[in-house]
Amino acid sequence: SYVRSFSTYIWFMPTLPRKNNRGNDSIMENEKNNHQHLANILWEHGHLLSKIIQGKEKAGSTFTSYFDYVRPARLVGPAHALDLIRGRKAGYLRLSFTLPEDVVSLFPDDVNLLSTLKKNEKAMVDKELFARLREKAAEEATALCVQHLRECLMAPPVGQKNTMALDTRLRGGVKIAIIDTSGALLDSTNLHLYPPLKDWYGSLAELAKLIIKHNVEWIAIGRGPALRESARLIHDLMTMYPDFKLSKKMLSISTPPYLPSESIDESLWTAVSIGRQLQDPLNELIKIDPLTLNLGPYQEDVHPEKLKIALDEVIKDCINKVKNAEQDPRIATKKNSHRHQRNKKNLKARLPFKL
């Protein structure tokens, strides 16, 4: 009965009136405005300082230019902002925003307010500043990824020629695929370029047999862990057999394996894709999700959704250029090529003035 009466008391207990939080809300809003105001002053009139963290000089040697870096915050270029953010993220650089001495006298009240901020409040101001710096860096990273993809899509196709493609992987050996003029798989093999199964001269002989058998004209080398050894192997092949009329090209983008429409062995998907990419880059790359392409080291610094929107626009633009042009813009004529225009300009500069 005691428990029942107590529960009844709790059930019918009148609700207390809520406290008025308008005062607290206004205080928090004022603090937020102060932090925003201080961040604006530091961004417009302050300097960005970068220092190497003690003991990280050797590990962070790639960021040597930023070991003792001072620059007005609003004048930091997008490329520099990208490198600074990457160095800070890797744990090599310590970044901070400060006001120079000649600016301190212009904002005495703000400087006093900045000096009296608590640790958590100062962190909020720094968070706002680094967000602006990251936004500037993301613009540069997106531009680099877009430029790289555009160059790969608009690369001149070699056309309908028998092609040998190398998928330069370590595990399981280097996969070799021979594709014909239509992109169909003709033959394949597997080479081991690293111990304990290394067979260098046997690999050269195997490649020579395939080239003679299928009349190969082009060799496409994909980017992978065994890229260096694969490139050396092809160099030795062309040196050892100078009668082979071969052309080689190293692809500047690594593509993930995808499921083709034909029934091809799963281990050869990437090799076949590399060969088709050389024959017609645009036709092959549009089949793959652009986010899965390896567009360079700066791809991690961009939000995936924003990057996908930018990459999709580039793909549409390249497709429309090729579709609507009378002549394929990927195939540069001798008259309009950059090298021809440069040589023509240099020739004019060397001619006598009267002529």
Side-chain angles (χ1 to χ4, degrees):
S1 63
Y2 175 76
V3 174
R4 186 180 299 169
S5 62
F6 181 75
S7 62
T8 305
Y9 171 73
I10 294 295
W11 180 262
F12 292 105
M13 183 179 290
T15 55
L16 298 175
R18 293 185 178 181
K19 293 183 179 180
N20 187 5
N21 293 326
R22 290 182 181 176
N24 294 338
D25 293 343
S26 61
I27 291 172
M28 292 177 64
E29 190 174 348
N30 289 336
E31 289 180 354
K32 186 177 179 180
N33 292 337
N34 289 338
H35 299 158
Q36 191 77 20
H37 177 66
L38 292 174
N40 290 336
I41 290 177
L42 285 169
W43 184 259
E44 292 294 332
H45 305 283
H47 283 179
L48 173 61
L49 309 181
S50 173
K51 299 285 184 181
I52 183 67
I53 296 176
Q54 192 173 2
K56 298 291 183 70
E57 291 83 357
K58 188 174 181 180
S61 57
T62 53
F63 301 98
T64 310
S65 305
Y66 305 101
F67 282 5
D68 190 10
Y69 178 86
V70 182
R71 183 78 173 166
R74 61 186 176 84
L75 299 180
V76 175
H80 288 194
L82 187 57
D83 291 336
L84 290 167
I85 289 293
R86 289 178 64 82
R88 180 174 179 260
K89 187 178 179 180
Y92 301 136
L93 301 177
R94 182 181 288 111
L95 306 182
S96 59
F97 292 86
T98 58
L99 284 173
E101 295 181 359
D102 56 340
V103 179
V104 170
S105 58
L106 301 176
F107 306 97
D109 298 335
D110 298 316
V111 171
N112 293 334
L113 179 61
L114 188 63
S115 61
T116 57
L117 287 179
K118 296 179 182 179
K119 188 175 181 180
N120 59 339
E121 294 175 337
K122 183 68 167 64
M124 292 179 68
V125 176
D126 290 341
K127 184 179 178 181
E128 172 67 24
L129 292 168
F130 284 120
R132 298 185 186 186
L133 192 65
R134 268 192 297 271
E135 186 178 352
K136 186 179 283 191
E139 293 176 5
E140 178 67 10
T142 305
L144 290 173
C145 293
V146 165
Q147 181 184 358
H148 191 187
L149 181 61
R150 187 185 295 276
E151 290 174 357
C152 294
L153 290 172
M154 299 302 288
V158 300
Q160 297 181 345
K161 297 179 181 179
N162 288 359
T163 305
M164 173 185 287
L166 282 74
D167 178 15
T168 56
R169 62 174 69 182
L170 286 176
R171 190 174 180 180
V174 177
K175 306 294 180 185
I176 309 294
I178 310 293
I179 60 175
D180 63 3
T181 55
S182 62
L185 180 64
L186 295 176
D187 206 343
S188 63
T189 187
N190 195 19
L191 304 180
H192 294 279
L193 306 181
Y194 289 89
L197 301 175
K198 182 177 180 180
D199 186 10
W200 193 263
Y201 291 102
S203 301
L204 288 172
E206 183 71 20
L207 291 179
K209 288 179 185 177
L210 291 172
I211 290 170
I212 294 170
K213 180 180 177 182
H214 300 288
N215 192 22
V216 174
E217 299 181 62
W218 275 88
I219 298 178
I221 308 174
R223 292 191 173 272
L227 172 62
R228 186 174 180 179
E229 292 298 311
S230 301
R232 192 160 69 89
L233 181 73
I234 298 301
H235 175 75
D236 290 354
L237 176 72
M238 298 175 74
T239 306
M240 189 176 293
Y241 301 98
D243 295 336
F244 291 165
K245 295 181 180 180
L246 292 171
S247 301
K248 67 174 181 178
K249 185 173 181 180
M250 193 176 301
L251 301 184
S252 61
I253 189 171
S254 60
T255 58
Y258 71 99
L259 181 62
S261 57
E262 308 92 324
S263 57
I264 299 174
D265 184 18
E266 185 179 350
S267 61
L268 297 172
W269 287 354
T270 304
V272 172
S273 175
I274 289 169
R276 291 174 179 175
Q277 203 183 134
L278 181 67
Q279 290 179 341
D280 193 346
L282 182 62
N283 188 41
E284 184 63 20
L285 289 175
I286 59 176
K287 302 174 185 175
I288 305 170
D289 183 8
L291 284 181
T292 59
L293 298 174
N294 185 6
L295 297 171
Y298 301 119
Q299 191 171 356
E300 308 170 350
D301 303 307
V302 189
H303 194 276
E305 293 181 1
K306 294 181 179 179
L307 181 61
K308 182 166 176 52
I309 293 171
L311 296 180
D312 288 340
E313 289 180 359
V314 172
I315 292 173
K316 289 179 183 177
D317 183 45
C318 292
I319 291 173
N320 291 332
K321 275 186 179 179
V322 175
K323 188 186 293 185
N324 300 329
E326 296 180 1
Q327 184 181 359
D328 194 341
R330 297 175 294 173
I331 304 173
T333 60
K334 183 178 179 182
K335 184 177 179 181
N336 297 326
S337 65
H338 295 292
R339 184 178 295 178
H340 177 76
Q341 294 292 342
R342 186 181 62 205
N343 293 342
K344 188 176 178 182
K345 186 177 180 181
N346 294 340
L347 180 63
K348 284 184 177 180
R350 292 195 299 268
L351 290 174
F353 180 76
K354 289 183 180 179
L355 178 64

